[in-house]
Amino acid sequence: MRMQAAIMFQHGLPRPYASSTPLIIEDVELEGPGPGEVLIEIAAAGLCHSDLSAIEGIRPRPLPVVIGHEGAGIVRECGEGVTDLKPDDHVVTVFVSSCGGCRFCVRGRPNICPSGSAARAAGTLISGGKRIRRLNGEAVNHGSGLSLFAQYAVVARRSMVKVDSTIPLDDLAIFGCAVMTGAGAVLNTAGMQAGDTIAVLGLGGVGMNALFAAVAGGAERIIAIDTSVEKLGLARQWGATDTFLATDADCVERIRTATDGGVDTVIETAGNIQAMELAYAITARGGSVVSAGLPAQGANFSYMHAGLVSDEKSILGSYMGSCVPERDIPRFIGLYKRGKLPVERLKSGTLPLADINSAFDRLADGSVLRQLLRPNI
Ligand SMILES: [Zn+2]
Ligand SMILES: [Zn+2]
């Protein structure tokens, strides 16, 4: 079928993106779903910092590529062997395609299934196939096995979870990355308990979901840290008990003093080494840093090893919030329905495909939380 997609042909074009147009809207051909695959109409796709990292080239992808890894859609056609979905079902996409049978999947850790990483590196769906072609016949790579910055997508059945069709699809889209990554980091990776003290460093879409989850999970004290005064103000309105500006020279000292020697659990969502250093510095003896933000490929974080040992600190990675999507997306939607994960507060407007480059300018400015592409409106 013919559709429009936003294709990236090169990394690292200069800002403003509204002029350099790293994403070019083209008519393309989308092949129908193969065995185990599903054609979905994209209802909404969120613009995430990881997409910006791909545009900047600090997390390169095979080119040309259609990126976009957070979304919700409507099933239009099921490939051979897909019997548990039907047209008009609503789904949230999952940016790690898991195989279901490897040693990680069977231990309940599909988020680190290596079959997904191989497909991601090769720019294919988990089947190994590519379904998008330019009108000149050139194959286009898939981003995260999804390619959601388009009107439609063909995606592996295992890269989506069926959801309640009464919930607005633009709210649901946010569950595909920001909610799983942020809420999952707090409730799964960190295993936060009611009464804990927790810090969230970096208040974008992921960080705000970590904050919501900390409130929902009954944290006694929630310390929010960011470089933006506006975002700290929002965090206070939404349940943070203490806020600190990361750019203050004495930020570490002030947090350590306010928390009697440091925070037990620090969720780092900013995805850069300075943020990681700050997170480690404000972690209490016996405490943990949970890092959920992806920095530039090849960036290295260092720490004083003796202190790690004598202070018994832990450093944990959290990929997609350590989520089992079939378990956690319905769980988090349940919290949303009770007003405990108010993702609708994070929406900073919707946009058509034609506005996607200027929307990435706004994301790079740090002035928005979640902008949602609505490619069929
Ligand atoms: Zn993301
Ligand atoms: Zn697996």
Side-chain angles (χ1 to χ4, degrees):
M1 64 181 287
R2 191 67 60 92
M3 67 161 186
Q4 284 196 318
I7 306 181
M8 181 162 69
F9 292 95
Q10 50 180 319
H11 296 297
L13 287 175
R15 290 182 62 198
Y17 299 132
S19 316
S20 64
T21 61
L23 302 177
I24 296 181
I25 314 303
E26 274 195 11
D27 283 339
V28 295
E29 276 297 323
L30 180 67
E31 279 174 34
E37 294 173 351
V38 179
L39 170 70
I40 58 173
E41 178 184 330
I42 308 300
L47 274 56
C48 173
H49 254 279
S50 300
D51 301 314
L52 186 60
S53 299
I55 290 170
E56 290 169 336
I58 63 172
R59 299 195 58 79
R61 300 269 185 278
L63 299 172
V65 64
V66 175
I67 57 172
H69 66 279
E70 173 185 275
I74 304 167
V75 172
R76 291 301 179 215
E77 188 186 338
C78 293
E80 191 190 316
V82 178
T83 54
D84 57 345
L85 285 177
K86 57 183 189 317
D88 298 330
D89 281 347
H90 290 191
V91 294
V92 168
T93 57
V94 176
F95 62 84
V96 176
S97 4
S98 54
C99 73
C102 73
R103 67 188 174 107
F104 304 102
C105 285
V106 299
R107 289 175 191 169
R109 302 186 70 181
N111 62 316
I112 51 169
C113 174
S115 68
S117 348
R120 170 185 303 260
T124 66
L125 300 180
I126 201 167
S127 63
K130 297 180 185 177
R131 300 281 175 257
I132 304 169
R133 284 189 186 278
R134 300 181 69 203
L135 298 187
N136 66 8
E138 182 188 4
V140 178
N141 291 292
H142 292 274
S144 309
L146 293 175
S147 296
L148 303 181
F149 293 161
Q151 292 182 296
Y152 292 82
V154 167
V155 170
R157 168 65 187 90
R158 298 193 63 86
S159 300
M160 65 185 72
V161 172
K162 184 181 167 182
V163 291
D164 182 342
S165 60
T166 64
I167 300 173
L169 281 154
D170 51 345
D171 286 3
L172 282 172
I174 303 172
F175 287 78
C177 175
V179 174
M180 278 202 285
T181 305
V186 171
L187 300 173
N188 292 336
T189 319
M192 193 197 79
Q193 304 282 310
D196 282 359
T197 289
I198 195 162
V200 179
L201 203 166
L203 299 172
V206 171
M208 288 300 190
N209 276 294
L211 173 78
F212 294 152
V215 175
E220 186 207 353
R221 203 161 167 199
I222 303 169
I223 292 138
I225 308 152
D226 198 89
T227 55
S228 152
V229 174
E230 290 74 29
K231 286 181 180 170
L232 292 180
L234 286 175
R236 262 193 304 275
Q237 278 177 42
W238 295 344
T241 55
D242 306 65
T243 54
F244 293 91
L245 199 57
T247 47
D248 281 350
D250 58 349
C251 178
V252 170
E253 252 174 69
R254 291 176 53 204
I255 295 173
R256 291 192 68 91
T257 304
T259 53
D260 191 23
V263 184
D264 297 328
T265 304
V266 181
I267 310 290
E268 182 283 312
T269 74
N272 64 64
I273 300 306
Q274 280 165 298
M276 192 61 194
E277 284 168 353
L278 176 56
Y280 189 74
I282 62 169
T283 301
R285 293 172 75 93
S288 317
V289 179
V290 174
S291 181
L294 278 170
Q297 203 79 47
N300 282 294
F301 167 65
S302 65
Y303 54 86
M304 196 177 58
H305 198 130
L308 178 86
V309 174
S310 59
D311 290 346
E312 284 207 345
K313 289 193 184 186
S314 305
I315 302 171
L316 302 171
S318 177
Y319 190 50
M320 203 171 70
S322 310
C323 282
V324 178
E326 292 79 2
R327 177 193 70 192
D328 290 320
I329 288 179
R331 173 164 79 121
F332 296 152
I333 289 174
L335 286 172
Y336 157 87
K337 283 175 154 177
R338 295 204 52 217
K340 304 282 188 185
L341 266 178
V343 299
E344 69 284 354
R345 292 180 188 165
L346 305 180
K347 289 192 286 188
S348 316
T350 57
L351 56 127
L353 267 170
D355 288 350
I356 196 164
N357 289 298
S358 46
F360 274 107
D361 282 320
R362 291 191 287 275
L363 184 63
D365 288 339
S367 58
V368 290
L369 289 168
R370 244 349 174 232
Q371 304 178 90
L372 291 150
L373 176 72
R374 310 273 334 239
N376 290 294
I377 289 180

